[in-house]
Amino acid sequence: MIEEQLSKFRELESCRATSTLSVEESNCEKQFAATTTSDTDGRFIVQLPKREEKLALLGDSKGIATRRFLALERRLSSNASLKTDYTQFIEEYAELQHMTELAESDTTSSSPSYYLPHHCIVRPDSTTTKLPVVYDASCALDTGTSLNDALMIGPTIQDNLMSILLRFRISKLALVADIEKMYRQINIAAIDRPLQQLLWRNSPTEPIRTFQLNTVTYGTSRAPYLATKTLQVLSQVGASTHLETATILGRDFYMDC
């Protein structure tokens, strides 16, 4: 009895626990390895891990996305400063080619698609992003299914926080850095971009336009896994030439999602 209690105590106090991947998590890892490529600039191109049986239940998402956009537009029309900031965010997204406008003919494809409702959270005290725009991939359609329901989440692959903090305290000096627009540094494969569409217009007098997001998108359930996995693979690629940097990149980062 005492040995059993001691064993449980050691297990609870352990800084690292052995984790076994589920079938779905293993499939995510295999799919990432099999489908991830890079462009001529070395930027990673990843695919979304889809639950095909759920994907077929998405149905028409444009109607609810339109209603949500019109509500957002009314909110912005009553706050000129907020409207300016939101418009600048959208325009920057397009200028960086993180999203692309679609012609009307391109929005009638027979392939599964999903329109992401979006809104903003005002954070005036933030030193980084004062107006984060949130994409609601958990918005359920009339079928009861959302985009996040149709995506596999993927395993937790980053080191646990306790281990990172313990290593952080070993050296006399420590540096902290932030990866700007981390998710948007990773491209989504063209085949999956119809699942990341949004509606926007600069003025209520203009027609509503459709855009397609080209990068990993905050609000989708697999975004943290895709970003973390990409960093780990990048560290492995750079290990032969920059071993110390690659080691830090591979194990000493933490994403608070």
Side-chain angles (χ1 to χ4, degrees):
M1 178 65 71
I2 294 178
E3 286 297 324
E4 183 180 348
Q5 291 177 342
L6 286 174
S7 177
K8 290 182 178 179
F9 175 78
R10 286 192 294 267
E11 182 179 342
L12 288 172
E13 293 299 312
S14 174
C15 292
R16 181 184 298 274
T18 302
S19 175
T20 302
L21 298 183
S22 67
V23 173
E24 181 173 294
E25 291 171 340
S26 295
N27 288 339
C28 282
E29 290 277 76
K30 292 176 183 177
Q31 188 206 48
F32 187 96
T35 62
T36 299
T37 59
S38 59
D39 60 19
T40 55
D41 296 325
R43 194 175 298 273
F44 280 73
I45 305 172
V46 300
Q47 290 189 19
L48 297 174
K50 298 169 287 292
R51 297 183 177 117
E52 297 297 338
E53 72 283 0
K54 292 286 187 179
L55 196 66
L57 298 175
L58 283 181
D60 179 21
S61 58
K62 190 173 183 179
I64 189 170
T66 301
R67 293 192 295 272
R68 293 273 295 271
F69 172 72
L70 293 175
L72 169 68
E73 191 173 56
R74 289 192 294 271
R75 176 189 176 191
L76 296 179
S77 65
S78 63
N79 188 326
S81 176
L82 185 62
K83 171 64 182 298
T84 298
D85 291 343
Y86 207 109
T87 301
Q88 288 177 348
F89 175 88
I90 294 293
E91 290 177 346
E92 181 198 50
Y93 226 103
E95 289 170 2
L96 294 175
Q97 298 184 341
H98 293 168
M99 74 177 188
T100 305
E101 184 173 2
L102 297 179
E104 186 65 29
S105 58
D106 295 330
T107 64
T108 57
S109 172
S110 59
S111 61
S113 63
Y114 187 86
Y115 286 81
L116 289 162
H118 54 98
H119 63 278
C120 63
I121 300 175
V122 181
R123 299 191 306 189
D125 298 330
S126 173
T127 58
T128 53
T129 306
K130 298 186 182 301
L131 186 77
V133 173
V134 179
Y135 302 98
D136 186 5
S138 294
C139 177
L141 308 181
D142 53 4
T143 60
T145 303
S146 69
L147 176 60
N148 279 343
D149 293 331
L151 298 179
M152 294 185 286
I153 297 175
T156 300
I157 55 176
Q158 67 186 26
D159 216 342
N160 61 70
L161 181 57
M162 177 64 74
S163 298
I164 294 173
L165 289 176
L166 288 175
R167 287 196 298 270
F168 183 82
R169 295 175 65 87
I170 290 176
S171 302
K172 292 183 178 180
L173 300 176
L175 299 176
V176 178
D178 177 61
I179 301 177
E180 184 178 2
K181 296 180 177 65
M182 180 176 178
Y183 289 172
R184 288 160 60 184
Q185 306 303 325
I186 309 164
N187 285 331
I188 289 291
I191 191 174
D192 287 335
R193 292 179 185 178
L195 294 171
Q196 298 188 158
Q197 298 186 103
L198 64 83
L199 303 174
W200 177 256
R201 63 182 175 186
N202 291 332
S203 168
T205 60
E206 299 176 357
I208 297 178
R209 297 178 288 165
T210 299
F211 293 85
Q212 189 169 267
L213 302 181
N214 303 327
T215 62
V216 172
T217 300
Y218 183 82
T220 55
S221 58
R222 203 200 183 191
Y225 168 77
L226 289 174
T228 304
K229 188 66 177 181
T230 298
L231 282 183
Q232 289 188 351
V233 174
L234 186 61
S235 71
Q236 295 166 8
V237 171
S240 60
T241 54
H242 301 83
L243 179 59
E244 186 174 359
T245 302
T247 300
I248 294 171
L249 182 63
R251 71 172 193 173
D252 289 334
F253 68 90
Y254 187 80
M255 188 188 313
D256 182 8
C257 302

